Amino acid sequence: MNTEYFKKTFRDIFQAEAVLFKSPGRINIIGEHTDYNGGLVMPAAIDKAVYVAVSKRDDHEIHLYSESYQSKYVSSVAAIQKTEHNWVNYILGVANEMVQRGHQLGGFNLFIYGDVPLGAGLSSSAAVECATAFALNYINQLSIPQMELALISQKAEHTFAGVNCGIMDQFASVFGKKDQAMMLDCRSMEYEYIPLKLDGYKLVLLNTNVKHSLSDSAYNERREQCDKGVNWIKDHHASVEYLRDVTQEMLLAHVKAKDENVYRKCSYVVAEIERVKKAAAALKNGDLSTLGKLMFETHKGLSEDYEVSCKELDFLVDQVKGLDYVLGARMMGGGFGGCTLNIVRDEEIDRLIDNVSVKYLEKFGLKLDAYIVETGNGSQII
Ligand code: GLA
């Protein structure tokens, strides 16, 4: 990111001096659809980020400019409303949530730019929200703790983007550290850093370049199915609050007969939480082959039981299954498109990308994009 260019462009547009913030996108090694079930996740921040330049205004107006969309938007602190532009909603959603929580916001100019690929499941929206939250916290001198900035960002996604997401993406974008994965307990919000030691291997993202439109509605529906299962179990086990507190035996006893579909959804989540624990142990022991096997299991669960995969993602995982230089692969994120995450031996990466790209183009007529993951630090002023 060329900070001088960014500052100069800001000056040209707003005739003011900017302060700059950066919030990264994320990958998730394992622990998918577990965050909103009080479970465990294992994300890491990446080196692709959203950048926000911001300055305070003397009035109460909000002036936004997006470099990627070459588009402007004007609003005011007193009249923050949802719009039909997603990029605007992520920013206004954060401002709105701060106001709702009683924080005093003044007017501001904000210029946004990013290199997190959009629609790839790398949480570009969480990055926009977190960068905005850090920026508004700073210029208004609000001293909001970092965890609350993540929660404010998550709430913006619920209220202004309409997705009832968990906390994983915003957490990763705030707390990420270079060369570290993080295991977050989404019930207690305790977390630990786990060094990403991948000796001889790298994490490779294969981007389907598709995002099927049902992704948001299906996401919210999955949440409801999980809640349904929890409620049925609560009738028998009052202390159960999340699927995190549930065992496979409880699901068999109280959910399976009522609704086979809800049972499969819940059973996937309970199994996935166990897989995260095993994956953390494997990563700490440098046992990448166990980690890889767990990733393949996660994909199977997401595809067959949780039903959030799609033919493009399944195809990409099938292509690498059985290759001795790919230890693990799975779809990543909410589903219905975006990327697969693969653990690939260093010297085979180019060959793998070439081979799979040709086959993907043949099969779907679509270009495959591939990125070798570099981890990065969390949200910060720059
Ligand atoms: C999306 C959501 C996250 C999480 C994942 C699935 O990325 O924003 O909160 O639920 O899907 O693991």
Side-chain angles (χ1 to χ4, degrees), residues 234-255:
K234 261 189 193 160
D235 292 342
H236 305 270
H237 301 269
S239 64
V240 163
E241 204 185 338
Y242 295 108
L243 279 180
R244 169 72 178 280
D245 312 313
V246 165
T247 61
Q248 297 287 3
E249 290 70 32
M250 291 179 191
L251 292 172
L252 281 171
H254 309 300
V255 179

Side-chain angles (χ1 to χ4, degrees), residues 175-191:
F175 291 97
K177 259 194 199 164
K178 187 157 175 49
D179 299 326
Q180 309 281 327
M182 296 166 283
M183 184 162 67
L184 170 69
D185 178 329
C186 301
R187 188 175 52 187
S188 68
M189 295 308 284
E190 280 166 12
Y191 59 96

Side-chain angles (χ1 to χ4, degrees), residues 107-144:
F108 60 93
N109 300 312
L110 188 149
F111 175 25
I112 183 159
Y113 163 82
D115 61 8
V116 185
L118 299 175
L122 300 176
S123 295
S124 55
S125 64
V128 174
E129 291 149 3
C130 293
T132 304
F134 269 64
L136 296 184
N137 180 46
Y138 182 88
I139 59 165
N140 292 290
Q141 298 178 319
L142 300 174
S143 306
I144 302 173

Side-chain angles (χ1 to χ4, degrees), residues 26 28 31-36 41 121 123 154 157 163-170 219 332-335:
R26 65 102 187 89
N28 184 24
E32 217 65 89
H33 288 275
T34 49
D35 58 354
Y36 52 84
V41 292
S123 295
Q154 178 198 19
E157 187 88 29
V163 181
N164 278 328
C165 67
I167 189 61
M168 171 170 72
D169 305 345
Q170 292 80 7
Y219 186 93
M332 195 186 70

